[in-house]
Amino acid sequence: MSVRVRFAPSPTGRLHVGGLRTALYNYLFAKHCNGRIILRIEDTDRTRLVENAQENLLNSLSWAGIKFDEGPGIGGEYGPYIQSERLDIYSKYAAELIANGKAYYAFDSAEELAEMRQRQQDDGENPKYARSSMKNQFTLGSEKTQELIAAGASYVVRLNVPAAVDVSFCDVIRGNITVGTNEIDDQILMKSDGFPTYHLANVVDDHLMKITHVIRGEEWLPSTPKHVLLYDGFGWEKPGFAHLPLLLNEKKAKLSKRHGDVAVEDFIQKGYFKEAFVNFIALLGWNPTGNREIYSIGELIEFFNLEKVNKGGAIFDTRKLDWTNSQYMKTTPVGELTGLLAPLLKEKGIDCNSSYIERVIELFRERVRFVHEIPDTASYMFDPPKAYEEKYYIKHWKEDTLQIIRPLIELLRNADEFTYSLTKEYAETQGLKLRDVVHPLRLMITGQSTGAGMFETMEVLGKEECLSRMDSFIERLANSDLKFEAD
């Protein structure tokens, strides 16, 4: 049987990084098995819908490069199945369950249910629908039930959980799991507003869409026995199940927005490379080899194996994410980086040609984690320093420094180009160490104590620019006009 999987988010907010991992694992599994992946929007809980959430989900998935293989799309692009557009289907299957005795009508009010739960809590019991003492077709009888329905009474449809039965299923990641029905609630399947709950809608859709493997978050594991009962109630073959471990923060608590950014959109806005972010997310709970951290999407597809996914929660380590991004910063084609950096420079009023931007990127790509860090980290590559690091000046500009540097400046002025060998030879003839001249050069040209290699920096800036900055420094020094900033 051909593998078919689905990603089925609810439009209740922005796409969580955990949701992206679920989508990614479904995608990797489908592509590894030459199967198909479907997108389904589960919007049946109308109280939790968030405006524009579906658009955000689609944009975030598209940014991550996750493409779907079928759906009611337009113009060659596959769109999602929308559960709120399939209500007649769920009503039909709910009626089938009732006819087969696998589900039943219940007429309890919200107040009656609240009182029931309070009684159970007072008695030290876990809240669970008390079928034998509440208003449902078992306690009311078939005739009264039909009278209430005909009179327009509000009702829900509940799952008829059999007594004293073990429900078993196999989870690809967690192995065989068995739960007694005494622990399973008579779950609502159809709400009083005519919308199905997640439990009914996802089972019906997974069957009709011929889903072979349900790959979803660990939070759905307790619901799976209810879904198994539904598959059995319909007489349908069950898919394989795989419940992914939770994502945890660095304190090993469940990753949530209370502890910082958790939406994919947040990381897009921060400038992470798509490839780096997907690479990092893929390794949250799984690694094909254990001795590598950087994989192309093709390699992730080739190596993906659900059985190697860990059971324990995965730490979302932002330091590791930043490191991963820095690795892609080093290897992304310079032309692509230039296309990202040029607009950022333009926003800051910096006008540079592409060739110069490329040379700056090559100089700094191994020193930064993000493209957007370059304008600040390499600020002296775009503008002469307006102020100088005070501690650096105090440490490396002594009483005799000007006497040492002036002859070197003239040598450089008359040379065809700046060279390491010329500077090194000058230092040696003066009985100086190379650092005795390099630090003053860095101070005059960049104003900063750290940066790219000094000679490489001078080469990119060019002879005239470097001489202009050194002359300006000496003139300001003579006029006591140097401005300093704390380093």
Side-chain angles (χ1 to χ4, degrees), residues 331-375:
T331 58
T332 299
V334 68
E336 185 177 332
L337 297 179
T338 299
L340 296 172
L341 180 56
L344 300 180
L345 294 174
K346 189 173 183 180
E347 286 178 11
K348 292 178 176 287
I350 300 171
D351 185 19
C352 300
N353 61 50
S354 296
S355 176
Y356 183 76
I357 295 174
E358 287 183 3
R359 296 182 73 191
V360 172
I361 289 172
E362 293 289 13
L363 199 58
F364 283 86
R365 65 191 304 164
E366 297 199 10
R367 300 172 182 274
V368 296
R369 301 163 301 169
F370 300 91
V371 170
H372 65 71
E373 291 178 340
I374 291 179

mmCIF file of all heavy atoms in Angstrom, residues 331-375:
data_model
loop_
_atom_site.group_PDB
_atom_site.id
_atom_site.type_symbol
_atom_site.label_atom_id
_atom_site.label_comp_id
_atom_site.label_asym_id
_atom_site.label_seq_id
_atom_site.Cartn_x
_atom_site.Cartn_y
_atom_site.Cartn_z
ATOM 1 N N THR A 331 28.311 28.786 4.059
ATOM 2 C CA THR A 331 28.257 28.007 2.823
ATOM 3 C C THR A 331 27.227 28.497 1.802
ATOM 4 O O THR A 331 27.263 28.062 0.655
ATOM 5 C CB THR A 331 27.955 26.532 3.150
ATOM 6 O OG1 THR A 331 26.706 26.451 3.858
ATOM 7 C CG2 THR A 331 29.047 25.933 4.035
ATOM 8 N N THR A 332 26.330 29.377 2.211
ATOM 9 C CA THR A 332 25.337 29.887 1.263
ATOM 10 C C THR A 332 26.033 30.694 0.175
ATOM 11 O O THR A 332 26.945 31.477 0.466
ATOM 12 C CB THR A 332 24.310 30.784 1.990
ATOM 13 O OG1 THR A 332 23.634 29.999 2.978
ATOM 14 C CG2 THR A 332 23.285 31.362 1.024
ATOM 15 N N PRO A 333 25.681 30.503 -1.092
ATOM 16 C CA PRO A 333 26.335 31.245 -2.177
ATOM 17 C C PRO A 333 26.343 32.748 -1.912
ATOM 18 O O PRO A 333 25.336 33.311 -1.462
ATOM 19 C CB PRO A 333 25.478 30.897 -3.402
ATOM 20 C CG PRO A 333 24.913 29.549 -3.086
ATOM 21 C CD PRO A 333 24.665 29.555 -1.612
ATOM 22 N N VAL A 334 27.486 33.383 -2.185
ATOM 23 C CA VAL A 334 27.649 34.790 -1.846
ATOM 24 C C VAL A 334 26.648 35.668 -2.587
ATOM 25 O O VAL A 334 26.188 36.689 -2.063
ATOM 26 C CB VAL A 334 29.102 35.241 -2.131
ATOM 27 C CG1 VAL A 334 29.404 35.254 -3.623
ATOM 28 C CG2 VAL A 334 29.378 36.609 -1.512
ATOM 29 N N GLY A 335 26.268 35.249 -3.799
ATOM 30 C CA GLY A 335 25.277 36.021 -4.545
ATOM 31 C C GLY A 335 23.932 36.056 -3.843
ATOM 32 O O GLY A 335 23.242 37.072 -3.827
ATOM 33 N N GLU A 336 23.552 34.929 -3.246
ATOM 34 C CA GLU A 336 22.301 34.856 -2.497
ATOM 35 C C GLU A 336 22.358 35.743 -1.254
ATOM 36 O O GLU A 336 21.401 36.441 -0.923
ATOM 37 C CB GLU A 336 22.030 33.404 -2.107
ATOM 38 C CG GLU A 336 20.696 33.177 -1.425
ATOM 39 C CD GLU A 336 20.435 31.714 -1.133
ATOM 40 O OE1 GLU A 336 20.959 30.862 -1.877
ATOM 41 O OE2 GLU A 336 19.721 31.422 -0.147
ATOM 42 N N LEU A 337 23.499 35.726 -0.577
ATOM 43 C CA LEU A 337 23.666 36.572 0.607
ATOM 44 C C LEU A 337 23.642 38.047 0.232
ATOM 45 O O LEU A 337 23.099 38.876 0.964
ATOM 46 C CB LEU A 337 24.984 36.232 1.319
ATOM 47 C CG LEU A 337 25.115 34.812 1.879
ATOM 48 C CD1 LEU A 337 26.478 34.631 2.522
ATOM 49 C CD2 LEU A 337 24.015 34.518 2.880
ATOM 50 N N THR A 338 24.235 38.362 -0.904
ATOM 51 C CA THR A 338 24.237 39.751 -1.374
ATOM 52 C C THR A 338 22.812 40.238 -1.610
ATOM 53 O O THR A 338 22.453 41.374 -1.269
ATOM 54 C CB THR A 338 25.058 39.880 -2.670
ATOM 55 O OG1 THR A 338 26.403 39.484 -2.404
ATOM 56 C CG2 THR A 338 25.051 41.310 -3.195
ATOM 57 N N GLY A 339 21.975 39.361 -2.176
ATOM 58 C CA GLY A 339 20.581 39.720 -2.411
ATOM 59 C C GLY A 339 19.822 39.990 -1.118
ATOM 60 O O GLY A 339 18.871 40.764 -1.105
ATOM 61 N N LEU A 340 20.253 39.358 -0.029
ATOM 62 C CA LEU A 340 19.624 39.586 1.277
ATOM 63 C C LEU A 340 20.173 40.830 1.959
ATOM 64 O O LEU A 340 19.440 41.561 2.631
ATOM 65 C CB LEU A 340 19.853 38.363 2.182
ATOM 66 C CG LEU A 340 19.225 37.045 1.725
ATOM 67 C CD1 LEU A 340 19.696 35.900 2.618
ATOM 68 C CD2 LEU A 340 17.703 37.140 1.755
ATOM 69 N N LEU A 341 21.489 41.074 1.800
ATOM 70 C CA LEU A 341 22.125 42.182 2.507
ATOM 71 C C LEU A 341 21.864 43.529 1.849
ATOM 72 O O LEU A 341 21.691 44.539 2.540
ATOM 73 C CB LEU A 341 23.635 41.928 2.606
ATOM 74 C CG LEU A 341 24.461 42.996 3.321
ATOM 75 C CD1 LEU A 341 23.944 43.242 4.732
ATOM 76 C CD2 LEU A 341 25.934 42.602 3.342
ATOM 77 N N ALA A 342 21.827 43.564 0.533
ATOM 78 C CA ALA A 342 21.694 44.842 -0.183
ATOM 79 C C ALA A 342 20.475 45.656 0.284
ATOM 80 O O ALA A 342 20.604 46.864 0.550
ATOM 81 C CB ALA A 342 21.647 44.599 -1.693
ATOM 82 N N PRO A 343 19.281 45.040 0.416
ATOM 83 C CA PRO A 343 18.124 45.828 0.883
ATOM 84 C C PRO A 343 18.304 46.344 2.311
ATOM 85 O O PRO A 343 17.821 47.439 2.639
ATOM 86 C CB PRO A 343 16.964 44.829 0.807
ATOM 87 C CG PRO A 343 17.418 43.750 -0.105
ATOM 88 C CD PRO A 343 18.893 43.664 0.062
ATOM 89 N N LEU A 344 18.981 45.570 3.160
ATOM 90 C CA LEU A 344 19.214 46.012 4.543
ATOM 91 C C LEU A 344 20.111 47.240 4.571
ATOM 92 O O LEU A 344 19.903 48.174 5.351
ATOM 93 C CB LEU A 344 19.849 44.882 5.360
ATOM 94 C CG LEU A 344 19.046 43.579 5.475
ATOM 95 C CD1 LEU A 344 19.809 42.552 6.310
ATOM 96 C CD2 LEU A 344 17.678 43.852 6.093
ATOM 97 N N LEU A 345 21.131 47.247 3.706
ATOM 98 C CA LEU A 345 22.024 48.402 3.618
ATOM 99 C C LEU A 345 21.279 49.618 3.077
ATOM 100 O O LEU A 345 21.465 50.741 3.557
ATOM 101 C CB LEU A 345 23.219 48.067 2.727
ATOM 102 C CG LEU A 345 24.169 46.981 3.256
ATOM 103 C CD1 LEU A 345 25.220 46.646 2.208
ATOM 104 C CD2 LEU A 345 24.835 47.419 4.558
ATOM 105 N N LYS A 346 20.429 49.369 2.093
ATOM 106 C CA LYS A 346 19.671 50.476 1.500
ATOM 107 C C LYS A 346 18.768 51.126 2.541
ATOM 108 O O LYS A 346 18.612 52.356 2.574
ATOM 109 C CB LYS A 346 18.853 49.965 0.323
ATOM 110 C CG LYS A 346 18.193 51.070 -0.496
ATOM 111 C CD LYS A 346 17.537 50.514 -1.751
ATOM 112 C CE LYS A 346 16.942 51.631 -2.589
ATOM 113 N NZ LYS A 346 16.291 51.107 -3.824
ATOM 114 N N GLU A 347 18.157 50.283 3.410
ATOM 115 C CA GLU A 347 17.297 50.813 4.475
ATOM 116 C C GLU A 347 18.075 51.738 5.403
ATOM 117 O O GLU A 347 17.520 52.672 5.986
ATOM 118 C CB GLU A 347 16.707 49.657 5.294
ATOM 119 C CG GLU A 347 15.603 48.899 4.583
ATOM 120 C CD GLU A 347 15.098 47.734 5.419
ATOM 121 O OE1 GLU A 347 15.463 47.657 6.615
ATOM 122 O OE2 GLU A 347 14.340 46.908 4.882
ATOM 123 N N LYS A 348 19.366 51.480 5.567
ATOM 124 C CA LYS A 348 20.210 52.284 6.441
ATOM 125 C C LYS A 348 20.852 53.456 5.702
ATOM 126 O O LYS A 348 21.699 54.166 6.250
ATOM 127 C CB LYS A 348 21.308 51.405 7.058
ATOM 128 C CG LYS A 348 20.769 50.377 8.053
ATOM 129 C CD LYS A 348 21.903 49.511 8.590
ATOM 130 C CE LYS A 348 21.399 48.554 9.663
ATOM 131 N NZ LYS A 348 21.092 49.249 10.937
ATOM 132 N N GLY A 349 20.476 53.628 4.425
ATOM 133 C CA GLY A 349 21.026 54.729 3.637
ATOM 134 C C GLY A 349 22.424 54.478 3.139
ATOM 135 O O GLY A 349 23.159 55.424 2.811
ATOM 136 N N ILE A 350 22.829 53.223 3.070
ATOM 137 C CA ILE A 350 24.176 52.868 2.604
ATOM 138 C C ILE A 350 24.085 52.415 1.159
ATOM 139 O O ILE A 350 23.367 51.462 0.836
ATOM 140 C CB ILE A 350 24.783 51.748 3.479
ATOM 141 C CG1 ILE A 350 24.881 52.212 4.934
ATOM 142 C CG2 ILE A 350 26.131 51.322 2.950
ATOM 143 C CD1 ILE A 350 25.252 51.117 5.903
ATOM 144 N N ASP A 351 24.810 53.078 0.287
ATOM 145 C CA ASP A 351 24.760 52.783 -1.140
ATOM 146 C C ASP A 351 26.067 52.121 -1.565
ATOM 147 O O ASP A 351 27.122 52.758 -1.563
ATOM 148 C CB ASP A 351 24.531 54.071 -1.935
ATOM 149 C CG ASP A 351 24.338 53.807 -3.420
ATOM 150 O OD1 ASP A 351 24.024 52.652 -3.770
ATOM 151 O OD2 ASP A 351 24.521 54.741 -4.219
ATOM 152 N N CYS A 352 26.003 50.826 -1.874
ATOM 153 C CA CYS A 352 27.202 50.077 -2.296
ATOM 154 C C CYS A 352 26.861 49.256 -3.529
ATOM 155 O O CYS A 352 25.730 48.802 -3.689
ATOM 156 C CB CYS A 352 27.662 49.114 -1.200
ATOM 157 S SG CYS A 352 28.105 49.892 0.348
ATOM 158 N N ASN A 353 27.848 49.041 -4.373
ATOM 159 C CA ASN A 353 27.604 48.162 -5.507
ATOM 160 C C ASN A 353 27.722 46.697 -5.079
ATOM 161 O O ASN A 353 28.291 46.370 -4.032
ATOM 162 C CB ASN A 353 28.552 48.470 -6.676
ATOM 163 C CG ASN A 353 30.015 48.277 -6.295
ATOM 164 O OD1 ASN A 353 30.395 47.250 -5.750
ATOM 165 N ND2 ASN A 353 30.840 49.280 -6.601
ATOM 166 N N SER A 354 27.182 45.818 -5.880
ATOM 167 C CA SER A 354 27.113 44.404 -5.523
ATOM 168 C C SER A 354 28.490 43.792 -5.335
ATOM 169 O O SER A 354 28.698 42.951 -4.458
ATOM 170 C CB SER A 354 26.352 43.626 -6.605
ATOM 171 O OG SER A 354 25.008 44.059 -6.671
ATOM 172 N N SER A 355 29.434 44.216 -6.158
ATOM 173 C CA SER A 355 30.783 43.660 -6.064
ATOM 174 C C SER A 355 31.405 43.951 -4.699
ATOM 175 O O SER A 355 32.022 43.077 -4.080
ATOM 176 C CB SER A 355 31.661 44.235 -7.174
ATOM 177 O OG SER A 355 32.988 43.766 -7.041
ATOM 178 N N TYR A 356 31.230 45.186 -4.217
ATOM 179 C CA TYR A 356 31.787 45.542 -2.913
ATOM 180 C C TYR A 356 31.072 44.772 -1.802
ATOM 181 O O TYR A 356 31.711 44.272 -0.867
ATOM 182 C CB TYR A 356 31.665 47.043 -2.676
ATOM 183 C CG TYR A 356 32.287 47.481 -1.368
ATOM 184 C CD1 TYR A 356 33.668 47.582 -1.236
ATOM 185 C CD2 TYR A 356 31.488 47.768 -0.262
ATOM 186 C CE1 TYR A 356 34.247 47.969 -0.031
ATOM 187 C CE2 TYR A 356 32.051 48.155 0.946
ATOM 188 C CZ TYR A 356 33.435 48.255 1.054
ATOM 189 O OH TYR A 356 34.018 48.620 2.253
ATOM 190 N N ILE A 357 29.746 44.650 -1.890
ATOM 191 C CA ILE A 357 28.986 43.919 -0.875
ATOM 192 C C ILE A 357 29.457 42.471 -0.802
ATOM 193 O O ILE A 357 29.620 41.907 0.290
ATOM 194 C CB ILE A 357 27.476 43.988 -1.175
ATOM 195 C CG1 ILE A 357 26.977 45.425 -1.050
ATOM 196 C CG2 ILE A 357 26.697 43.074 -0.235
ATOM 197 C CD1 ILE A 357 25.526 45.617 -1.464
ATOM 198 N N GLU A 358 29.711 41.879 -1.965
ATOM 199 C CA GLU A 358 30.190 40.494 -1.991
ATOM 200 C C GLU A 358 31.525 40.360 -1.262
ATOM 201 O O GLU A 358 31.746 39.400 -0.515
ATOM 202 C CB GLU A 358 30.336 40.014 -3.440
ATOM 203 C CG GLU A 358 29.008 39.743 -4.124
ATOM 204 C CD GLU A 358 29.184 39.207 -5.529
ATOM 205 O OE1 GLU A 358 30.360 38.992 -5.944
ATOM 206 O OE2 GLU A 358 28.171 38.982 -6.209
ATOM 207 N N ARG A 359 32.414 41.324 -1.449
ATOM 208 C CA ARG A 359 33.721 41.260 -0.801
ATOM 209 C C ARG A 359 33.597 41.425 0.712
ATOM 210 O O ARG A 359 34.310 40.763 1.479
ATOM 211 C CB ARG A 359 34.647 42.329 -1.393
ATOM 212 C CG ARG A 359 34.953 42.125 -2.879
ATOM 213 C CD ARG A 359 35.904 43.183 -3.393
ATOM 214 N NE ARG A 359 37.259 42.967 -2.896
ATOM 215 C CZ ARG A 359 38.257 43.845 -3.007
ATOM 216 N NH1 ARG A 359 38.024 45.025 -3.587
ATOM 217 N NH2 ARG A 359 39.446 43.564 -2.550
ATOM 218 N N VAL A 360 32.678 42.275 1.141
ATOM 219 C CA VAL A 360 32.439 42.435 2.582
ATOM 220 C C VAL A 360 31.875 41.148 3.164
ATOM 221 O O VAL A 360 32.281 40.701 4.252
ATOM 222 C CB VAL A 360 31.491 43.619 2.845
ATOM 223 C CG1 VAL A 360 31.093 43.660 4.324
ATOM 224 C CG2 VAL A 360 32.140 44.935 2.435
ATOM 225 N N ILE A 361 30.946 40.528 2.451
ATOM 226 C CA ILE A 361 30.365 39.266 2.932
ATOM 227 C C ILE A 361 31.436 38.204 3.081
ATOM 228 O O ILE A 361 31.487 37.484 4.086
ATOM 229 C CB ILE A 361 29.249 38.807 1.974
ATOM 230 C CG1 ILE A 361 28.030 39.724 2.110
ATOM 231 C CG2 ILE A 361 28.858 37.357 2.255
ATOM 232 C CD1 ILE A 361 26.953 39.477 1.076
ATOM 233 N N GLU A 362 32.302 38.075 2.086
ATOM 234 C CA GLU A 362 33.369 37.069 2.164
ATOM 235 C C GLU A 362 34.277 37.333 3.361
ATOM 236 O O GLU A 362 34.800 36.405 3.983
ATOM 237 C CB GLU A 362 34.186 37.065 0.870
ATOM 238 C CG GLU A 362 33.431 36.577 -0.357
ATOM 239 C CD GLU A 362 33.158 35.075 -0.348
ATOM 240 O OE1 GLU A 362 33.332 34.435 0.713
ATOM 241 O OE2 GLU A 362 32.752 34.551 -1.397
ATOM 242 N N LEU A 363 34.431 38.587 3.701
ATOM 243 C CA LEU A 363 35.286 38.969 4.820
ATOM 244 C C LEU A 363 34.646 38.630 6.167
ATOM 245 O O LEU A 363 35.352 38.294 7.128
ATOM 246 C CB LEU A 363 35.568 40.473 4.737
ATOM 247 C CG LEU A 363 36.763 41.045 5.500
ATOM 248 C CD1 LEU A 363 38.064 40.380 5.067
ATOM 249 C CD2 LEU A 363 36.832 42.553 5.287
ATOM 250 N N PHE A 364 33.320 38.682 6.231
ATOM 251 C CA PHE A 364 32.636 38.569 7.529
ATOM 252 C C PHE A 364 31.746 37.336 7.680
ATOM 253 O O PHE A 364 31.226 37.095 8.773
ATOM 254 C CB PHE A 364 31.799 39.827 7.787
ATOM 255 C CG PHE A 364 32.609 40.994 8.227
ATOM 256 C CD1 PHE A 364 33.198 41.838 7.286
ATOM 257 C CD2 PHE A 364 32.827 41.250 9.571
ATOM 258 C CE1 PHE A 364 33.980 42.906 7.681
ATOM 259 C CE2 PHE A 364 33.590 42.320 9.975
ATOM 260 C CZ PHE A 364 34.175 43.154 9.030
ATOM 261 N N ARG A 365 31.546 36.547 6.646
ATOM 262 C CA ARG A 365 30.563 35.472 6.711
ATOM 263 C C ARG A 365 30.888 34.440 7.783
ATOM 264 O O ARG A 365 29.992 33.759 8.287
ATOM 265 C CB ARG A 365 30.404 34.796 5.347
ATOM 266 C CG ARG A 365 31.636 34.067 4.855
ATOM 267 C CD ARG A 365 31.502 33.642 3.403
ATOM 268 N NE ARG A 365 30.320 32.838 3.207
ATOM 269 C CZ ARG A 365 29.779 32.592 2.015
ATOM 270 N NH1 ARG A 365 30.308 33.113 0.919
ATOM 271 N NH2 ARG A 365 28.721 31.839 1.915
ATOM 272 N N GLU A 366 32.148 34.299 8.134
ATOM 273 C CA GLU A 366 32.511 33.342 9.184
ATOM 274 C C GLU A 366 32.553 33.986 10.561
ATOM 275 O O GLU A 366 32.864 33.317 11.550
ATOM 276 C CB GLU A 366 33.854 32.689 8.856
ATOM 277 C CG GLU A 366 33.813 31.866 7.583
ATOM 278 C CD GLU A 366 34.955 30.871 7.490
ATOM 279 O OE1 GLU A 366 35.661 30.692 8.493
ATOM 280 O OE2 GLU A 366 35.118 30.264 6.412
ATOM 281 N N ARG A 367 32.223 35.261 10.636
ATOM 282 C CA ARG A 367 32.276 35.985 11.906
ATOM 283 C C ARG A 367 30.904 36.362 12.435
ATOM 284 O O ARG A 367 30.797 36.925 13.521
ATOM 285 C CB ARG A 367 33.118 37.261 11.737
ATOM 286 C CG ARG A 367 34.545 36.956 11.321
ATOM 287 C CD ARG A 367 35.314 38.211 10.969
ATOM 288 N NE ARG A 367 36.650 37.868 10.529
ATOM 289 C CZ ARG A 367 37.684 37.688 11.336
ATOM 290 N NH1 ARG A 367 37.530 37.833 12.643
ATOM 291 N NH2 ARG A 367 38.866 37.356 10.855
ATOM 292 N N VAL A 368 29.870 36.078 11.651
ATOM 293 C CA VAL A 368 28.508 36.420 12.069
ATOM 294 C C VAL A 368 27.610 35.201 11.923
ATOM 295 O O VAL A 368 27.946 34.244 11.226
ATOM 296 C CB VAL A 368 27.941 37.593 11.240
ATOM 297 C CG1 VAL A 368 28.741 38.854 11.472
ATOM 298 C CG2 VAL A 368 27.894 37.241 9.750
ATOM 299 N N ARG A 369 26.445 35.260 12.560
ATOM 300 C CA ARG A 369 25.471 34.175 12.474
ATOM 301 C C ARG A 369 24.358 34.489 11.477
ATOM 302 O O ARG A 369 23.729 33.586 10.939
ATOM 303 C CB ARG A 369 24.855 33.920 13.856
ATOM 304 C CG ARG A 369 25.848 33.557 14.936
ATOM 305 C CD ARG A 369 25.219 33.724 16.305
ATOM 306 N NE ARG A 369 24.764 35.102 16.513
ATOM 307 C CZ ARG A 369 24.000 35.492 17.527
ATOM 308 N NH1 ARG A 369 23.586 34.611 18.418
ATOM 309 N NH2 ARG A 369 23.629 36.756 17.642
ATOM 310 N N PHE A 370 24.118 35.798 11.267
ATOM 311 C CA PHE A 370 23.007 36.239 10.428
ATOM 312 C C PHE A 370 23.483 37.302 9.450
ATOM 313 O O PHE A 370 24.397 38.074 9.761
ATOM 314 C CB PHE A 370 21.888 36.851 11.288
ATOM 315 C CG PHE A 370 21.295 35.931 12.297
ATOM 316 C CD1 PHE A 370 21.800 35.865 13.580
ATOM 317 C CD2 PHE A 370 20.213 35.127 11.966
ATOM 318 C CE1 PHE A 370 21.250 35.024 14.528
ATOM 319 C CE2 PHE A 370 19.649 34.282 12.905
ATOM 320 C CZ PHE A 370 20.179 34.222 14.186
ATOM 321 N N VAL A 371 22.812 37.361 8.319
ATOM 322 C CA VAL A 371 23.108 38.410 7.347
ATOM 323 C C VAL A 371 22.878 39.780 7.963
ATOM 324 O O VAL A 371 23.665 40.713 7.771
ATOM 325 C CB VAL A 371 22.235 38.226 6.088
ATOM 326 C CG1 VAL A 371 22.365 39.441 5.178
ATOM 327 C CG2 VAL A 371 22.624 36.966 5.333
ATOM 328 N N HIS A 372 21.801 39.910 8.746
ATOM 329 C CA HIS A 372 21.450 41.240 9.269
ATOM 330 C C HIS A 372 22.445 41.736 10.320
ATOM 331 O O HIS A 372 22.360 42.894 10.741
ATOM 332 C CB HIS A 372 20.028 41.242 9.817
ATOM 333 C CG HIS A 372 19.814 40.359 11.014
ATOM 334 N ND1 HIS A 372 20.315 40.646 12.262
ATOM 335 C CD2 HIS A 372 19.140 39.180 11.136
ATOM 336 C CE1 HIS A 372 19.961 39.690 13.104
ATOM 337 N NE2 HIS A 372 19.265 38.792 12.454
ATOM 338 N N GLU A 373 23.373 40.890 10.770
ATOM 339 C CA GLU A 373 24.388 41.345 11.717
ATOM 340 C C GLU A 373 25.516 42.110 11.030
ATOM 341 O O GLU A 373 26.241 42.862 11.678
ATOM 342 C CB GLU A 373 24.985 40.156 12.473
ATOM 343 C CG GLU A 373 24.018 39.492 13.435
ATOM 344 C CD GLU A 373 24.615 38.281 14.131
ATOM 345 O OE1 GLU A 373 25.604 37.719 13.623
ATOM 346 O OE2 GLU A 373 24.086 37.886 15.182
ATOM 347 N N ILE A 374 25.663 41.928 9.723
ATOM 348 C CA ILE A 374 26.794 42.522 9.010
ATOM 349 C C ILE A 374 26.795 44.051 9.051
ATOM 350 O O ILE A 374 27.841 44.661 9.307
ATOM 351 C CB ILE A 374 26.857 41.994 7.560
ATOM 352 C CG1 ILE A 374 27.257 40.510 7.570
ATOM 353 C CG2 ILE A 374 27.845 42.804 6.717
ATOM 354 C CD1 ILE A 374 27.324 39.864 6.201
ATOM 355 N N PRO A 375 25.669 44.735 8.816
ATOM 356 C CA PRO A 375 25.728 46.208 8.841
ATOM 357 C C PRO A 375 26.272 46.783 10.150
ATOM 358 O O PRO A 375 26.953 47.815 10.135
ATOM 359 C CB PRO A 375 24.265 46.615 8.622
ATOM 360 C CG PRO A 375 23.679 45.496 7.837
ATOM 361 C CD PRO A 375 24.334 44.260 8.388
#
